[in-house]
Amino acid sequence: MKRHSARQRTGAALQGACDGRVPSGSALRRAFTLIEVLLVLALIGLFTTLFMVNLESLMSETEADAVETAFWSATREARTRALVDREPQLVRFDTKAAAFVVEASRSQNTRRVEVDRSRWAEDVKVEVALQKRLPASQFSLVRGQLVEVREVAAVQFFPDGTCTPFLVSLKVGRDERTIEIDPWTGSELLAADAS
């Protein structure tokens, strides 16, 4: 068997690479080009930026979303209890406790759905108003503003699955939301459906 020196083996590998053959062994090691390294670094930077933006948006929505989540839990609870118990249920907001209260209209059965304020700053103010839309004949003009709604203390869910038509106005810090509820389904009435 004939032995070749390292120089002869490298020369043979280089000649094979020029012929289109794949060099054997570790004669030629492939390295990453500068463009490949820069491309990988750019992709890592892009994914990091997208992750941070999404994380920031999730953190900023928690206060208003916590109130809205508690509202939807309370309305779902009231509607379910009205259907199951065959007894009308009232939903109101307790400002001092920052909780929605679901209570049966004829019995002492009460449940509180509290707003999760565990991650809030202490100075965040929560205002919830349950409102009823007035008929056009009862609109009034107050200080140059047309008043189309009237605030109500509570809204009622009936044993047939319907509820009194109402709006809920949520004000949490600087975030304000108004949700109109469909009296037939108890779900949000979208702007196109409101007319």
Side-chain angles (χ1 to χ4, degrees):
M1 197 182 245
K2 192 175 180 184
R3 292 189 161 218
H4 297 287
S5 68
R7 179 176 265 173
Q8 288 174 334
R9 283 193 304 261
T10 305
L14 287 174
Q15 182 181 8
C18 294
D19 295 348
R21 292 182 290 160
V22 177
S24 62
S26 62
L28 285 180
R29 293 184 182 201
R30 186 169 184 322
F32 293 109
T33 65
L34 182 60
I35 291 179
E36 291 171 328
V37 172
L38 290 176
L39 182 65
V40 168
L41 289 175
L43 287 174
I44 290 172
L46 177 70
F47 288 135
T48 303
T49 303
L50 290 174
F51 175 75
M52 295 305 287
V53 167
N54 286 336
L55 183 64
E56 183 179 306
S57 67
L58 288 174
M59 297 301 286
S60 67
E61 295 175 357
T62 58
E63 294 169 347
D65 286 345
V67 176
E68 190 172 338
T69 299
F71 165 73
W72 287 116
S73 294
T75 56
R76 189 172 41 252
E77 173 77 17
R79 189 165 191 254
T80 302
R81 285 174 59 179
L83 287 167
V84 171
D85 298 345
R86 306 296 301 158
E87 182 178 10
Q89 303 286 319
L90 295 173
V91 176
R92 63 182 172 82
F93 185 72
D94 183 356
T95 307
K96 291 180 183 176
F100 289 92
V101 179
V102 178
E103 54 194 0
S105 58
R106 291 185 295 230
S107 67
Q108 300 297 334
N109 195 1
T110 301
R111 180 170 182 270
R112 297 175 95 63
V113 179
E114 295 187 15
V115 176
D116 181 16
R117 298 181 76 166
S118 60
R119 292 180 282 177
W120 292 17
E122 290 183 27
D123 61 338
V124 175
K125 191 174 177 186
V126 178
E127 294 177 24
V128 175
L130 300 170
Q131 302 167 332
K132 180 180 178 182
R133 190 172 295 281
L134 297 172
S137 62
Q138 295 179 3
F139 287 0
S140 60
L141 195 61
V142 178
R143 286 181 262 169
Q145 296 279 329
L146 183 64
V147 177
E148 300 177 35
V149 294
R150 173 177 59 91
E151 196 165 321
V152 293
V155 293
Q156 194 168 20
F157 286 80
F158 301 105
D160 63 357
T162 62
C163 66
T164 54
F166 72 100
L167 294 95
V168 62
S169 176
L170 308 172
K171 188 174 182 182
V172 183
R174 289 180 272 154
D175 191 5
E176 291 185 42
R177 300 176 187 183
T178 300
I179 304 168
E180 187 165 1
I181 304 302
D182 181 13
W184 296 104
T185 62
S187 61
E188 183 175 2
L189 192 62
L190 301 177
D193 299 338
S195 53

